[in-house]
């Protein structure tokens, strides 16, 4: 996975990429402090990073064609 700082709505972004066959996700699935019931205000940097980080696929098995497709879809989504 490759984490990106993301300013768009992450749930909608995940759905958009999934509809194109690309699995993106947050940087981590769950924040540990939330699992044990501690409020975000105790860990503001972690909460902010969770809210603004999107992880895209990157692995040695990806072909050049797949990498180009992912890159093109990111560019398309961001309209750049």
């Amino acid at each position: 996975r490759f984490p990106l700082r993301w300013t768009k709505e992450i749930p909608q972004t995940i759905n958009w990429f999934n509809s194109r066959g690309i699995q993106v996700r947050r940087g981590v699935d769950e924040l540990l402090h939330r699992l044990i019931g501690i409020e975000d205000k105790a860990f503001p940097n972690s909460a902010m990073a969770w809210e603004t980080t999107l992880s895209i696929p990157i692995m040695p098995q990806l072909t050049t064609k797949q990498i180009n497709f992912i890159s093109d879809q990111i560019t398309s989504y961001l309209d750049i």
Side-chain angles (χ1 to χ4, degrees):
R1 314 293 307 169
F2 186 82
L4 301 171
R5 180 73 61 165
W6 204 254
T7 59
K8 306 258 185 202
E9 291 290 324
I10 290 183
Q12 291 86 342
T13 300
I14 291 171
N15 290 336
W16 191 88
F17 279 95
N18 282 341
S19 73
R20 284 152 179 80
I22 302 169
Q23 184 184 23
V24 299
R25 55 193 309 169
R26 293 188 183 271
V28 295
D29 292 329
E30 188 66 45
L31 295 175
L32 294 177
H33 69 270
R34 290 179 180 174
L35 289 174
I36 58 174
I38 299 174
E39 294 183 22
D40 285 350
K41 67 181 178 182
F43 297 93
N45 292 331
S46 296
M48 186 272 305
W50 190 82
E51 293 291 339
T52 61
T53 302
L54 184 73
S55 178
I56 62 171
I58 183 170
M59 60 193 99
Q61 299 87 346
L62 290 175
T63 66
T64 299
K65 183 178 178 179
Q66 290 170 318
I67 292 167
N68 289 337
F69 178 73
I70 293 166
S71 177
D72 290 344
Q73 294 305 305
I74 291 170
T75 300
S76 175
Y77 188 81
L78 296 175
D79 196 31
I80 54 175

